[in-house]
Amino acid sequence: MDRAFRKLTHGLMLVGGLGIIVMMVNITLDVVLKVFWNAPIQGTVEISSYYYMVAIVMLPMAMVEYDDEQISVDLLFNHFPEWLKRISLLLTFMATAGILSVMTWRTGLDAVRAFKVGEVVMGSREIIVWPARCMLPLGFGLAAVAAVLRAVMLLQGKPVTKIHETDSAA
C-alpha cells in the first residue's frame, strides 16, 4: 500500500512540476510573440490561472503531506515526552484528514456543478475551466488519504515525521 501510494503521489508531483515548465514556456512564448510580432497567445492568463497554477499547488499536495514536507512549528513538540508526541501526532493526523475530507467533498460538489453547466471563463477568449475544477478534490482527497495512512503508520510504530527520522539517525 505504501509503495503504490508513494508512486501515485510522486507521479502527481511530477505532473505538477511539469506544469511549472509548461507554464513558463507558455508565458515566455506569449511575451515573445506579443513583443516581436504583436500576436500574443490568446487565453494565456486564464490558462495559467485556472490550469497551471491549480495543478502546481494541488497535485503535489498528497506527497507533501505523506512525506512530512509541509511547514510546521514544533517549538513545544520537541520537548514533549514520547507518549504525548504520539497522541499529538495522532490527533493532528485525524483532524487533518477530517478537514481535508470536508474540503474534498465541498470542492467535489463544485466540480460536479462546473461539469454540469460546462463552466467557462471569458478573457481574451472563452476558456473551458470545468476540468480544472477536478484537481481540487483530487488533491484534497489524496492528502486526506495521506493523513490517514500516516496515522496508521504511527499506530504501527513506524516513523511519520522528519524529526523522528533525524532523531533515529543520530
Side-chain angles (χ1 to χ4, degrees), residues 68 70-78 80 89 92 163:
D68 191 34
Q70 68 279 14
I71 297 171
S72 62
V73 178
D74 48 17
L75 187 63
L76 297 175
F77 183 81
N78 291 336
F80 287 173
L89 285 170
T92 301
I163 296 166

Side-chain angles (χ1 to χ4, degrees), residues 50-107:
Y50 285 91
Y51 284 94
Y52 300 141
M53 290 184 191
V54 175
I56 290 165
V57 172
M58 296 308 298
L59 296 181
M61 187 180 281
M63 190 209 76
V64 169
E65 173 62 33
Y66 198 61
D67 288 348
D68 191 34
E69 294 290 340
Q70 68 279 14
I71 297 171
S72 62
V73 178
D74 48 17
L75 187 63
L76 297 175
F77 183 81
N78 291 336
H79 302 290
F80 287 173
E82 196 60 39
W83 65 271
L84 187 54
K85 285 181 183 179
R86 292 175 56 82
I87 291 171
S88 297
L89 285 170
L90 186 60
L91 291 173
T92 301
F93 294 151
M94 297 318 293
T96 300
I99 291 166
L100 288 169
S101 295
V102 169
M103 293 170 77
T104 301
W105 171 70
R106 184 61 222 160
T107 57

Side-chain angles (χ1 to χ4, degrees), residues 5-170:
F5 191 73
R6 193 166 296 282
K7 274 188 164 184
L8 174 64
T9 59
H10 282 278
L12 289 173
M13 185 216 37
L14 288 173
V15 172
L18 183 63
I20 292 172
I21 294 168
V22 174
M23 181 173 68
M24 181 180 65
V25 169
N26 185 202
I27 292 171
T28 302
L29 190 58
D30 178 54
V31 169
V32 168
L33 290 171
K34 184 187 301 182
V35 169
F36 291 111
W37 290 281
N38 197 24
I41 299 172
Q42 300 296 311
T44 296
V45 171
E46 293 81 8
I47 291 171
S48 295
S49 301
Y50 285 91
Y51 284 94
Y52 300 141
M53 290 184 191
V54 175
I56 290 165
V57 172
M58 296 308 298
L59 296 181
M61 187 180 281
M63 190 209 76
V64 169
E65 173 62 33
Y66 198 61
D67 288 348
D68 191 34
E69 294 290 340
Q70 68 279 14
I71 297 171
S72 62
V73 178
D74 48 17
L75 187 63
L76 297 175
F77 183 81
N78 291 336
H79 302 290
F80 287 173
E82 196 60 39
W83 65 271
L84 187 54
K85 285 181 183 179
R86 292 175 56 82
I87 291 171
S88 297
L89 285 170
L90 186 60
L91 291 173
T92 301
F93 294 151
M94 297 318 293
T96 300
I99 291 166
L100 288 169
S101 295
V102 169
M103 293 170 77
T104 301
W105 171 70
R106 184 61 222 160
T107 57
L109 292 176
D110 289 342
V112 169
R113 180 203 48 80
F115 171 74
K116 285 181 180 177
V117 300
E119 187 174 22
V120 297
V121 66
M122 292 298 294
S124 54
R125 68 179 333 180
E126 188 176 274
I127 304 291
I128 298 169
V129 295
W130 65 262
R133 300 280 187 212
C134 297
M135 286 187 269
L136 279 85
L138 176 66
F140 287 135
L142 288 174
V145 170
V148 170
L149 289 175
R150 288 181 73 199
V152 170
M153 289 167 51
L154 177 70
L155 293 172
Q156 293 174 342
K158 295 179 181 174
V160 293
T161 64
K162 296 290 181 181
I163 296 166
H164 191 278
E165 290 175 7
T166 52
D167 287 346
S168 62

